[in-house]
Amino acid sequence: MSLSLNQGTSPDGLRAKTHGFKNEHGQNVLTLGEYEITFEDFLALAHYVLTNTNLEPDDIRLHFVECVRSAQVTEGYREEIGGHVQDTKRLSIDMPQLPPHP
């Protein structure tokens, strides 16, 4: 299963997918469009987005932080592998309708 990014992303419908496998260097990876990035780089990017600029009124980053803060580790999808992180608050970001990219 993949996630289609369509809230202002260019190109609309850019796909993100986790695979559950490690690359040749033993790192977990995800695919973002045509790019394969490690979880470490993804988390570095998330940290950068959260901390690199001042907050604005009703900043959506605060909602994201609250969702992550409330998440819990629960039983995994497959017992032999381990648990997974389950959100207790759904991340729903209402974005204004953006004009199409030129």
Side-chain angles (χ1 to χ4, degrees), residues 63-83:
H63 179 63
F64 176 77
V65 168
E66 184 56 35
C67 288
V68 171
R69 182 182 291 129
S70 69
Q72 298 175 358
V73 176
T74 63
E75 284 187 25
Y77 300 114
R78 294 173 40 201
E79 286 183 29
E80 68 276 10
I81 296 177

Side-chain angles (χ1 to χ4, degrees), residues 13 17-18 20 33 36-37 60-61 67 70 73-74 84-85:
K17 182 173 180 137
T18 57
E36 182 179 278
I37 62 175
I60 60 174
R61 293 173 291 177
C67 288
S70 69
V73 176
T74 63
H84 80 117
V85 177

